[in-house]
Structures are given as structure tokens and as C-alpha cells.
Amino acid sequence: MRVLLTGHQGYLGTVMAPVLAAAGHEVVGLDAGLFADCVLGPAPADPPGERVDLRDVTAEHVAGVDAVIHLAALSNDPLGSLAPELTYDINHHASVRLARLARDAGVRRFLYASTCSVYGASGGDDLVAEDAPLRPVTPYAESKVRVEDDLHALADGDFTPVFMRNATAFGYSPRLRADIVLNNLVGHALLSGEVLVLSDGTPWRPLVHAADIARAFTAALTAPREAVHDRAFNIGSEINNVTVAEIAEQVAEAVSGAKVVITGENGADPRSYRVDFSRFRAAVLDFDCEWTVKQGALELADAYRKHGLTREDFERRFTRLAVLRAATDAGTVDDTLRWRR
């Protein structure tokens, strides 16, 4: 299968591309390249691809493609809140435009990277399934809900959108992200000796390893159409439904000598949800995740040590907001997050 992978030079795409290739797919990439240089360790071997802003995609980019895996986005809540209008322009409007181009070009399957953040204000301890009310509390999560709605309207007998609601990602990728919870806490623990939690530690977070996300998307590519057509799936594992305080304790176990410090200075976080992941297991060959939070913390600690993670790297090169601010301050990227020519 010829697969267009958007965001192939991002945190998830860098892990997913070789998994897709190993499964026998021909992978072509498309990425704006804003984070292509955010590499920790050896440079990854990217699939063939183009550096194209998502807002500039044309019919040529989807010609001859059997399936699209759409990862590219402004990819977390702080980044989305920085410029909400850009979040909707890129994450929502450009994504729907890509899907329309793909459908018109005869692409059969469109796997969309959504998020469990769509349940953002669910609260409580009950498991949240895909049919639960959606209560996004950030522009990032709201943009994902809008795309799901619009892709649902595009679904027909020839075009199958699938909504992959990923839990919060963790784990090592050659293109590291340090601004997601487990990756961040492990970095703080190694660099400062403290597992620093700024909230009160009580919110629930569902977590999933980047490699398990890659495996899930690869499985969804070839799953029977009737099992996945126009359906939403939570991607993760119930064992990785943990509170932020529990994540911190796992990190302290993985980083010898680190001490958990819960300051509570940011108060209670309204984003709290425990997630039911059984629908995807039932639909796609009893798929299940391989990585636990503890294993991920150990993997990250080993990778950070092995590749010599520094505080400068941690706070600047691998934090999305800092990377974009540095690029705009330097004039290489304009205020709309486009490369200056």
C-alpha cells in the first residue's frame, strides 16, 4: 500500500515511518519541517518526502496514494493556545482540505490523529468510551473535534475516515518532544534531581507509547473496512490510565535519587479523564499496547543519558513552543508559522 504520512519529521511520524515500512508499505512523507532538526541521537532515516506547509497541499500530493495517515498539526495544548486562530487554520481547515483532496483523488482510507483530549473536562473516575460527551477545554482539542465532525460528513462508500483518539504520547523518538508529561518529568528528574509537578497531581491522564501508536495506525490501515469505517477509536491501554502524581512516582523509581516535588502552583487542571480502550481491541485483531509507563520512564532515562541530554536542549530544542518562538525571533519563520523565503 502506498501511504502518505503527514508529519513524518515529527515526534510520532519519525517513529511511525519505519514501522509502516517494516509492514511492507511504501511510505511517502509530507512535513513543513519546523521540527525536523529537533534530533536527539543519530539522525533518523526519513522516507522520501516533501517539505510542504499543510496549508499548501495540492492534489498532486495525494495522487496515486492508497491511504493517508494524517499526523501533522500544531501538536499540544500550550502551542494551540499561543495562537488559536492558527490552530484552527492549520489543525482544522487545512486538515479537512487535505481530506477532501484525498477523497477526490480516490484515496480509500484516511487515518486521522485525533486525541483523548476531546474528553477534556469529563472528570470522575469512570472510564470514558468513544460515545461519551466531548468536552474539549483548549483550542487544540476543539480543533480535533471539528475535524472529526467534518470528516464524518465526507465518509462514503469509497472513502473511509478513521478517527484515532490517541492518549497522551510518551517514549523516546529520534525527534524528541520534551513538552509532554512523562518525557518532561523524566528530563527534569535527570537534570535537576526533582520530579517537578506544577499541578496538584490529581488529574487522570491516559498515556500511550509512541511505538504503540505506530503499531495501532499500522493495524488500522489494513483492518476490514466494516470494522473501522467512519468510527472513532481510543488508542492506548487501561493500565496506563494514571494520575499525574502516579506518573511522578514512576519517574522517581526510574531515576535513582530523584525526589517528587508537587508544588500545586498551577492549581487543579480541568483536563482529567480515564479512558476505555476496548473498542479498538475488539475491532482490530485484539490489538493491545506493549509499553507501560514504568517501561517508558526507564527507556527515556536511558536515552537521555546515552545521548547526553542537556538543560539547553531540554528547554529549547525539544520544547515546541520554544522552538517556534526562537524561529520567529530569528526571522526564519513568520508570524503565521510559514518559512520566510
Side-chain angles (χ1 to χ4, degrees):
M1 187 179 293
R2 182 175 171 86
V3 180
L4 175 64
L5 177 64
T6 76
H8 73 289
Q9 292 182 318
Y11 171 68
L12 292 179
T14 301
V15 174
M16 192 176 297
V19 174
L20 292 168
H25 300 294
E26 178 189 357
V27 183
V28 291
L30 186 151
D31 199 296
L34 292 171
F35 306 107
D37 295 332
C38 299
V39 175
L40 181 68
D46 293 328
E50 291 188 53
R51 177 167 288 189
V52 180
D53 191 291
L54 186 62
R55 292 164 288 187
D56 299 329
V57 170
T58 69
E60 292 181 2
H61 294 111
V62 290
V65 169
D66 299 303
V68 172
I69 294 179
H70 182 37
L71 306 179
L74 292 180
S75 58
N76 67 352
D77 291 329
L79 194 59
S81 299
L82 171 68
E85 69 282 0
L86 287 179
T87 297
Y88 294 123
D89 189 24
I90 296 170
N91 291 11
H92 176 208
H93 299 299
S95 294
V96 175
R97 181 172 169 272
L98 170 67
R100 287 198 184 100
L101 289 169
R103 185 190 63 172
D104 293 346
V107 173
R108 305 286 293 182
R109 192 162 297 193
F110 191 97
L111 305 188
Y112 175 60
S114 189
T115 173
C116 285
S117 294
V118 298
Y119 307 119
S122 296
D125 292 339
D126 294 335
L127 291 177
V128 177
E130 289 85 350
D131 55 359
L134 305 185
R135 298 188 176 98
V137 296
T138 64
Y140 170 72
E142 175 64 30
S143 73
K144 297 292 187 178
V145 173
R146 293 185 185 187
V147 174
E148 286 194 20
D149 288 343
D150 289 346
L151 293 188
H152 169 70
L154 294 177
D156 60 25
D158 297 317
F159 184 69
T160 292
V162 187
F163 317 115
M164 307 285 279
R165 294 178 181 168
N166 300 318
T168 299
F170 69 85
Y172 173 70
S173 165
R175 288 191 174 94
L176 183 69
R177 282 188 60 188
D179 53 6
I180 41 183
V181 60
L182 185 63
N183 297 11
N184 184 268
L185 292 179
V186 173
H188 270 294
L190 279 171
L191 295 169
S192 71
E194 293 184 342
V195 188
L196 184 63
V197 177
L198 300 182
S199 73
D200 62 6
T202 61
W204 287 100
R205 284 287 181 277
L207 302 187
V208 62
H209 196 285
D212 284 327
I213 293 175
R215 292 175 51 246
F217 274 72
T218 303
L221 265 185
T222 55
R225 179 181 180 276
E226 62 273 14
V228 298
H229 178 72
D230 196 25
R231 299 185 73 191
F233 296 99
N234 297 328
I235 304 301
S237 173
E238 287 82 359
I239 197 173
N240 290 334
N241 279 318
V242 285
T243 66
V244 174
E246 289 170 339
I247 298 171
E249 292 294 339
Q250 296 275 21
V251 172
E253 291 182 17
V255 181
S256 179
K259 179 177 68 173
V260 176
V261 178
I262 298 178
T263 70
E265 63 190 73
N266 289 349
D269 191 331
R271 300 167 301 165
S272 182
Y273 40 90
R274 298 177 67 233
V275 177
D276 181 341
F277 299 101
S278 60
R279 176 186 285 186
F280 192 70
R281 290 196 298 269
V284 185
L285 300 176
D286 295 320
F287 174 90
D288 208 351
C289 293
E290 297 179 349
W291 285 82
T292 65
V293 172
K294 182 175 182 179
Q295 290 169 333
L298 290 167
E299 176 206 34
L300 286 162
D302 288 345
Y304 290 172
R305 292 188 186 101
K306 177 180 178 180
H307 300 304
L309 181 71
T310 66
R311 184 172 293 278
E312 175 75 11
D313 284 342
F314 181 68
E315 295 179 351
R316 297 184 182 275
R317 290 187 62 232
F318 303 124
T319 298
R320 296 305 193 241
L321 197 54
V323 171
L324 292 182
R325 282 178 169 161
T328 54
D329 289 347
T332 56
V333 172
D334 67 22
D335 291 340
T336 68
L337 303 184
R338 291 182 180 274
W339 293 103
R340 293 187 185 275
R341 300 188 184 279

